[in-house]
Amino acid sequence: MNDSMLMEQLHRLPDYLSAHLLLTIVALAVGVVVCIPLGFLVTRVKALQWPTLSVVGVLQTIPGIALLALMVPLLGMIGFVPALIALSIYSFLPILRNTVTGVLGVDGSIVEAARGIGMTDRQLLFRVELPLALPVIVAGVRTATVWIVGTATLATPVGATSLGNYIFGGLQTQNITAVLVGCISAALLAIILDQIVRLVEVAATRRNFRLGALATLLLLLLFALGIGPSLAERLADNNRKVIIGAKTFTEQYILANLITKLLDEEGIAAESRAGMGSIILFDALASGGVDCYVDYSGTVWANAMKREVVPSRDTLLAEMTDWLRDVKGIRNLGALGFENTYALAVTRETAKKYGLRSISDLSAVAPQLSIGSDYEFFSRPEWSAFKATYRFDFNDHLSIDPALMYSAVSEGETDVITAFSTDGRIIDYDLVLLTDDRQVFPPYDAVLLVSETAADNEPLLSALQSLVNGISDQQMQVANKIVDVDGFSVDSAATYLLHQLEGD
């Protein structure tokens, strides 16, 4: 493990850890506040018990990443709030179920004796049922705590900062140091929080007020550690930071880092939100949740505009620019100068074996082969158009993380992949790009988009202007190679591009 890379990751730990802490503790608090009273309610109104537990149980079956993603369109925003709501919902089942189990588990003779001496329902609740059920309830809170810590690492794709930033970024850029720091930090946090909540459980079992107070104090301290850095940052800088978005592959991480560096040089505070899905990021830009990011003309044309007929490059750029401005209020500052198009790639051995030069050649042998692509591609309009035009019928379709696609085809785990034309690994793995002879793919020029609000920020636009027509295909491929092949950091690749822009 490279010491400098480790230090770089540890430098980010306070921000990522504090954000993760804040998400976890607030979500846990919401779960406790909602589910414990609800649990007592359904034990008294029996008709509510089965449907309530069933609904909460169904919500629990939704995968964490899906639940987080659903919150974005439902709320129309990205970041902390949708992540908090999703994580709170994820905490409901263990807390609610244990509350119901704990209350129903109280000895009936004790309840009858309490009623016999004249206790009211309120006295029965707080003096008998709650104290006796508390150990079981807290056990549910412990389970919820561990679940939330783990699920919170999935908040990165919806624009919420967490320890997941390490994991998602590390996987995309093949930075094992970042992945390890993220995983170890999340595991240690889960252990620490679990033990603190265990103190509450022990205090409840032993009726030990001091132990309970200590556990509460520790939780409040962790909450303060979570909220402290962001609060201090707000007090130090009253100006809102420019939010730079990025998708889930290396090139996007590099470009977001480059934009942040450019803005820093101009004295404009900026913050990167990387690892977001295409549609989530585009909607966030349209709603003002993100101020700026680099997209690709073909992606906007096919996915956002839902256009099928592909015009010339210049016509597509012009129509896309007008549509973005008139329909979404988004401003296209211009093309960056390079194109990162989809391309079907095979190993040189596969190309030679089947005589593959073009995608039409591939159609004839597709039933014998498997194809792998990133998570989004098989649900995108481009793939539907591809299948209709070339009449593909592959033997198998594999959804593979973009960082692993190239090694997968090289090692024979899949026969064909949808490569990105500016990826440095194409050369490193000696892959053959098949010609799109029927020109199904639209042009994928990298374009710099800003939100409606950011478009009124003249200093911001001026600082970004140097990017327009500033990066060539070769320069972008070299930058990607610095990370994906040479093993250097995203920051190093962004610095390389910055020097190219400045003519160094």
Side-chain angles (χ1 to χ4, degrees):
M1 187 181 294
N2 187 294
D3 288 343
S4 63
M5 293 187 73
L6 177 60
M7 293 306 298
E8 180 184 341
Q9 301 308 322
L10 292 178
H11 179 72
R12 299 171 182 166
L13 184 58
D15 289 338
Y16 291 172
L17 181 59
S18 64
H20 201 106
L21 262 173
L22 187 61
L23 261 178
T24 300
I25 293 177
V26 176
L28 188 62
V30 171
V32 168
V33 169
V34 170
C35 290
I36 292 180
L38 182 60
F40 278 98
L41 174 64
V42 300
T43 58
R44 281 159 168 73
V45 184
K46 299 295 184 181
L48 294 177
Q49 188 170 312
W50 181 84
T52 301
L53 288 171
S54 297
V55 169
V56 173
V58 168
L59 289 174
Q60 192 69 44
T61 64
I62 301 174
I65 189 68
L67 189 60
L68 284 157
L70 283 172
M71 290 299 111
V72 174
L74 289 175
L75 299 174
M77 65 174 71
I78 63 168
F80 182 84
V81 174
L84 173 62
I85 294 175
L87 292 173
S88 299
I89 291 173
Y90 225 63
S91 74
F92 284 177
L93 181 61
I95 300 175
L96 179 62
R97 185 173 55 194
N98 276 45
T99 300
V100 172
T101 301
V103 173
L104 295 180
V106 174
D107 193 330
S109 61
I110 296 176
V111 173
E112 288 301 318
R115 292 189 184 280
I117 62 174
M119 277 192 177
T120 65
D121 286 343
R122 181 183 179 87
Q123 290 172 325
L124 178 65
L125 170 62
F126 287 103
R127 294 186 182 183
V128 178
E129 291 178 319
L130 182 57
L132 292 175
L134 198 55
V136 179
I137 295 172
V138 176
V141 175
R142 284 184 69 182
T143 301
T145 301
V146 177
W147 285 5
I148 293 173
V149 172
T151 308
T153 59
L154 302 175
T156 299
V158 300
T161 302
S162 72
L163 292 170
N165 287 42
Y166 278 129
I167 298 169
F168 280 89
L171 287 173
Q172 299 308 321
T173 60
Q174 299 189 45
N175 187 335
I176 189 65
T177 303
V179 175
L180 285 174
V181 171
C183 290
I184 292 171
S185 299
L188 289 175
L189 179 60
I191 291 169
I192 291 169
L193 284 173
D194 177 67
Q195 291 305 302
I196 292 174
V197 178
R198 178 179 173 275
L199 283 180
V200 177
E201 183 179 8
V202 172
T205 303
R206 297 178 181 177
R207 307 287 198 275
N208 190 321
F209 175 79
R210 289 184 177 179
L211 200 57
L214 174 61
T216 303
L217 183 62
L218 289 173
L219 285 172
L220 290 174
L221 178 60
L222 287 177
F223 177 76
L225 289 174
I227 201 171
S230 59
L231 183 61
E233 189 174 314
R234 288 180 180 274
L235 292 174
D237 183 7
N238 292 324
N239 296 320
R240 176 182 176 271
K241 284 187 174 182
V242 174
I243 305 299
I244 311 299
K247 300 185 187 184
T248 59
F249 52 95
T250 300
E251 182 169 290
Q252 287 276 306
Y253 282 86
I254 294 171
L255 292 170
N257 194 300
L258 172 63
I259 293 172
T260 303
K261 286 180 179 294
L262 277 173
L263 297 184
D264 284 344
E265 286 190 350
E266 298 298 322
I268 300 173
E271 178 184 343
S272 174
R273 299 278 180 86
M276 298 170 65
S278 292
I279 300 301
I280 289 175
L281 184 51
F282 182 81
D283 289 344
L285 186 74
S287 65
V290 166
D291 296 304
C292 170
Y293 82 100
V294 175
D295 211 328
Y296 303 91
S297 57
T299 300
V300 177
W301 184 263
N303 287 267
M305 299 172 66
K306 309 296 183 185
R307 303 288 178 86
E308 297 180 359
V309 177
V310 180
S312 67
R313 170 175 270 104
D314 291 340
T315 300
L316 187 150
L317 281 171
E319 290 188 17
M320 180 198 73
T321 300
D322 291 342
W323 182 87
L324 287 171
R325 182 192 62 238
D326 298 338
V327 178
K328 295 293 184 178
I330 295 171
R331 182 168 172 182
N332 174 22
L333 295 187
L336 272 63
F338 71 90
E339 181 187 15
N340 186 7
T341 185
Y342 274 114
L344 297 194
V346 297
T347 61
R348 195 162 297 280
E349 291 76 13
T350 300
K352 184 177 180 180
K353 179 180 179 180
Y354 294 102
L356 303 178
R357 291 186 177 84
S358 68
I359 299 177
S360 290
D361 295 335
L362 182 64
S363 298
V365 296
Q368 306 172 50
L369 306 176
S370 61
I371 183 171
S373 187
D374 61 82
Y375 307 127
E376 295 183 4
F377 184 74
F378 294 128
S379 61
R380 289 173 65 134
E382 295 99 311
W383 175 241
S384 298
F386 239 69
K387 287 195 298 182
T389 303
Y390 288 105
R391 300 186 181 279
F392 282 138
D393 185 21
F394 282 97
N395 181 49
D396 195 11
H397 300 75
L398 304 175
S399 292
I400 309 172
D401 191 280
L404 305 177
M405 285 196 304
Y406 299 88
S407 60
V409 72
S410 177
E411 295 169 7
E413 294 176 15
T414 186
D415 301 301
V416 186
I417 61 168
T418 56
F420 302 115
S421 61
T422 56
D423 200 305
R425 287 169 291 189
I426 293 172
I427 297 173
D428 189 60
Y429 284 98
D430 192 28
L431 301 181
V432 176
L433 299 184
L434 304 180
T435 304
D436 180 14
D437 50 308
R438 299 188 185 180
Q439 298 183 335
V440 177
F441 280 136
Y444 285 90
D445 292 297
V447 289
L448 187 56
L449 307 182
V450 297
S451 67
E452 187 173 16
T453 303
D456 294 328
N457 187 337
E458 288 301 327
L460 172 63
L461 300 188
S462 177
L464 294 174
Q465 202 59 44
S466 63
L467 286 169
V468 177
N469 294 317
I471 305 173
S472 68
D473 287 359
Q474 183 180 11
Q475 288 169 339
M476 195 67 245
Q477 193 171 51
V478 169
N480 286 325
K481 181 177 178 293
I482 287 172
V483 177
D484 292 329
V485 178
D486 301 335
F488 291 101
S489 66
V490 167
D491 188 72
S492 299
T495 299
Y496 159 77
L497 286 179
L498 184 62
H499 289 162
Q500 298 301 306
L501 288 172
E502 296 172 346
D504 293 349

